[in-house]
Amino acid sequence: MPAIALVPCSAMRAYDGMIGGMSESTSGSRAPAEPAAEAEAPHATPFPSAGVLTPRLLAGEILCVLALSLGAAAVSAAISFVGALTAPEPLAEQTASLVGPQAAQQRPWLDLTRQISSLVFAMAPVALVLYLLYRSRESARTIGFDLTRPSRDLGMGAALAALVGLSGLVVYLVSWQLGLAVTVAPSALNESWWRLPVLVLQAVKNGVLEEVIFGYLLLRLGQLGWSPVRSTAAVALLRAFYHLYQGLGMFVGNLAMGLVFGWLYHRHGRVMPLVAAHSIIDIVAFVGSAYLIGRVGWLPGG
């Protein structure tokens, strides 16, 4: 096997120069050298440095979240209530449906598809809130939205649901008898095999959506310097306003519910018991109404 000669680098450079000169003299012009690979690639835009959350940024963040979720619902509920007050029929003779069909009864699969789609996209504000928390180097655990204490959270939520749910039912029945509430139809879905699962999912959606956003609002308002009493009152008032379409009685009932939930959040720092309680209340209301309205005389809407 022949030996490989090691040529010094200086000799190699001289050889390359001689070959380049010969090529230039042969072609008459020298081809331009190709630019370096680094020059060809465009420079990547650097990531922005993490900014400090100022009160102005926090206020803008809160307004954006409200405009995309419960704030918009509160405005819509207030408009609906004005419409109900100015209607020729009394409040008790008007009906508000919470979960209704989204397609004709002859097209159940289209209705199911739209129900699932609305459930999925209703979680967008929750995703936004969690993203904003992570971006500010916090997390869902900051507001207690996690599964670290499932048994305790579920037990507390069930007890709270029994207390608040029964109280809310009494408020609704009394206010309806006094003509201060519309007839609430929690479920107006058509008869179908998927009606019960959709009602349960709708109830859980309400619990997650509302309580996670309220936990976020209480956290941010506290960071803005609001006292627990002031922030709880503001959030409870918001909860009452977006239930105003159900009448004055439910406005008062949800205001009381908001005060209790806000106090519990400040006491324990967790929204999971509130999510569980809200979900249980709505599951009982949605599923119960589907089987009881029209079968018991004391429940409006029969």
Side-chain angles (χ1 to χ4, degrees), residues 49-149:
S49 58
V52 179
L53 280 177
T54 63
R56 184 175 180 180
L57 288 176
L58 283 181
E61 183 180 294
I62 290 173
L63 290 176
C64 288
V65 171
L66 289 177
L68 295 172
S69 58
L70 302 182
V75 174
S76 177
I79 296 173
S80 297
F81 180 65
V82 173
L85 286 179
T86 56
E89 304 87 2
L91 283 179
E93 295 181 9
Q94 301 179 46
T95 302
S97 298
L98 305 187
V99 182
Q102 300 187 30
Q105 188 172 3
Q106 296 79 10
R107 309 188 71 184
W109 287 104
L110 178 61
D111 194 358
L112 175 60
T113 303
R114 287 178 172 172
Q115 296 287 345
I116 294 176
S117 175
S118 65
L119 284 168
V120 171
F121 286 103
M123 290 291 99
V126 175
L128 173 62
V129 162
L130 298 181
Y131 166 76
L132 292 172
L133 289 175
Y134 278 101
R135 187 169 181 177
S136 58
R137 298 184 180 179
E138 296 160 307
S139 68
R141 192 171 286 188
T142 305
I143 59 174
F145 185 59
D146 54 54
L147 297 176
T148 57
R149 306 188 319 189

Side-chain angles (χ1 to χ4, degrees), residues 6-33:
L6 298 178
V7 182
C9 293
S10 58
M12 289 295 296
R13 285 195 294 269
Y15 174 78
D16 290 342
M18 181 176 60
I19 294 297
M22 291 174 61
S23 300
E24 184 177 358
S25 60
T26 304
S27 60
S29 62
R30 185 172 185 177

Side-chain angles (χ1 to χ4, degrees), residues 264-284:
L264 287 173
Y265 173 80
H266 283 296
R267 181 178 178 86
H268 299 284
R270 293 185 61 77
V271 301
M272 281 304 293
L274 312 180
V275 171
H278 195 147
S279 300
I280 293 172
I281 291 172
D282 281 8
I283 288 174
V284 173

Side-chain angles (χ1 to χ4, degrees), residues 243-254:
H243 286 93
L244 187 57
Y245 69 96
Q246 299 176 9
L248 288 175
M250 299 310 294
F251 177 91
V252 175
N254 280 279

Side-chain angles (χ1 to χ4, degrees), residues 39 60 73 75 82 92 96 116 163 170 177 182 215 230 233 262:
V75 174
V82 173
I116 294 176
L163 174 64
V170 172
Q177 290 289 343
V182 301
R230 185 185 177 191

